[in-house]
Amino acid sequence: MAKAAVVKQESFFARNGLLVAILSIVFFVFANTLVNDYCMDDEIVTNNHPLTSQGISAIPEILKSPYFKADVYSYEYRPIVHISFALEHQFLGESAGMSHFVNLILYMVLVLVVFTLLRELFPSVNEKILAVVTLLFALHPTHTEVVASIKNRDEILALLFTFLAFGEAIKFSVTNQWWRIFTVLICFNLAMGSKVTILPFALAIPLSISILLQPKQVLKVMALAIL
């Protein structure tokens, strides 16, 4: 039994060693954000926000409210972002440190999804190369503000749900499991509910799949895009 357990442990690290290394690097690079306080524009989503500070009881109102409203001025509709903060405040409390911690965890999940997506899109490429590409994405200086600014959780959530939709679209094109259309639509709508700037991916996803994976499946993937 002991030998079997050792073999299983070695097998896990053999399969996931690169991913563990990537996530560890990302955590240590951005761990300094955990001691930061609130900054400019964080009141849009947290720090005594009139809705998110109420916790899950405010979710029905969040679903009917704009992202930002002041007097007669309002803009955008990003309920998924506000819901994430409502859930955070309900179960983890309201503090800058906790919000920064959640941002970092969500960013690490995004990096995990990026690495997984690259492996699915480029199955013949050496995983070490894909790991380097993933780290270039994760540690790019332009992404620092996304993690360090609490308010910028909308960017993390939007791309996270977009790439989850991307992964489901790949599985749909490869397996012909039509129920995956619904998971694609759910994930993409969650992305749109985080920030509408990801809309171009509605075209980029099927084109990428058709070019990189299965050119024969162009018509089927384009049908998914129309849906």
Side-chain angles (χ1 to χ4, degrees):
M1 293 293 291
K3 291 183 178 180
V6 171
V7 171
K8 184 177 181 181
Q9 187 178 25
E10 291 176 349
S11 177
F12 172 82
F13 284 107
R15 293 193 308 268
N16 302 284
L18 279 175
L19 181 57
V20 172
I22 290 170
L23 295 181
S24 298
I25 293 171
V26 172
F27 180 83
F28 284 113
V29 167
F30 290 103
N32 62 337
T33 65
L34 299 177
V35 298
N36 292 349
D37 204 342
Y38 294 111
C39 63
M40 185 176 63
D41 290 338
D42 284 345
E43 69 275 5
I44 296 176
V45 291
T46 185
N47 193 17
N48 298 315
H49 187 274
L51 290 178
T52 63
S53 295
Q54 300 178 37
I56 60 177
S57 62
I59 291 179
E61 187 63 28
I62 288 173
L63 292 172
K64 298 184 293 183
S65 303
Y67 180 64
F68 176 78
K69 183 176 182 180
D71 298 324
V72 296
Y73 175 71
S74 64
Y75 71 89
E76 291 280 357
Y77 180 65
R78 306 177 192 172
I80 303 304
V81 181
H82 280 163
I83 288 173
S84 77
F85 281 99
L87 292 172
E88 175 192 319
H89 295 162
Q90 180 73 39
F91 298 107
L92 302 175
E94 184 172 336
S95 71
M98 186 55 66
S99 291
H100 283 297
F101 177 74
V102 173
N103 264 26
L104 178 52
I105 294 301
L106 286 172
Y107 189 67
M108 290 172 66
V109 174
L110 171 59
V111 171
L112 183 155
V113 172
V114 168
F115 184 57
T116 303
L117 193 59
L118 287 174
R119 288 195 294 191
E120 293 175 344
L121 284 171
F122 306 99
S124 60
V125 176
N126 189 298
E127 285 197 351
K128 292 181 181 179
I129 296 176
L130 300 181
V132 171
V133 173
T134 303
L135 278 176
L136 287 174
F137 166 85
L139 305 181
H140 197 284
T142 59
H143 294 166
T144 301
E145 185 181 359
V146 174
V147 183
S149 172
I150 295 173
K151 175 262 170 194
N152 282 333
R153 186 179 299 179
D154 53 0
E155 302 282 0
I156 300 175
L157 289 173
L159 198 57
L160 172 59
F161 286 121
T162 298
F163 284 166
L164 288 174
F166 202 160
E168 285 299 296
I170 291 174
K171 292 181 177 67
F172 163 69
S173 67
V174 172
T175 65
N176 292 315
Q177 295 173 325
W178 286 89
W179 60 268
R180 291 191 183 277
I181 292 177
F182 297 102
T183 58
V184 172
L185 293 176
I186 290 171
C187 289
F188 200 79
N189 273 281
L190 289 173
M192 290 286 290
S194 300
K195 198 167 186 180
V196 295
T197 52
I198 53 84
L199 186 58
F201 278 97
L203 181 61
I205 289 174
L207 285 178
S208 298
I209 293 174
S210 63
I211 293 171
L212 296 174
L213 293 179
Q214 295 190 17
K216 298 186 299 183
Q217 304 282 357
V218 172
L219 291 179
K220 184 173 70 174
V221 178
M222 291 304 294
L224 172 60
I226 295 173
L227 288 174

